[in-house]
């Protein structure tokens, strides 16, 4: 399975944006409830998305264009 396919597999899930100071707490609460949760990135002020898998670029582009 390629990294691109793994990123966009059609499985039930969601990406939830939370304040950086609360990320560890939110992740912990989900995991304690039996809901797998991982911190996968951070929010930047620029309107762009950069996704890396194992340190290598998998996707990059303007947020609006990728919608």
């Amino acid at each position: 399975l390629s990294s691109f396919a793994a990123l966009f597999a059609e499985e039930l899930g969601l990406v939830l944006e939370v304040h950086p100071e609360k990320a560890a707490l939110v992740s912990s609460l989900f995991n304690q409830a039996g809901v797998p949760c991982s911190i996968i990135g951070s929010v930047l002020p620029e309107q762009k998305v950069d996704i890396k898998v194992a340190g290598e670029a998998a996707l990059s582009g303007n947020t609006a264009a990728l919608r």
Side-chain angles (χ1 to χ4, degrees):
L1 185 65
S2 73
S3 58
F4 193 79
L7 287 169
F8 297 99
E10 292 190 26
E11 295 181 20
L12 183 60
L14 73 114
V15 174
L16 178 66
E17 182 180 337
V18 298
H19 193 281
E21 293 177 7
K22 303 286 186 187
L25 172 63
V26 170
S27 178
S28 175
L29 292 171
F30 273 100
N31 285 305
Q32 288 175 27
V35 179
C37 180
S38 300
I39 298 172
I40 62 167
S42 60
V43 177
L44 303 173
E46 298 86 19
Q47 292 185 350
K48 67 182 228 174
V49 174
D50 289 315
I51 298 175
K52 295 180 182 179
V53 177
E56 295 196 26
L59 176 69
S60 184
N62 178 279
T63 306
L66 292 171
R67 287 190 178 151

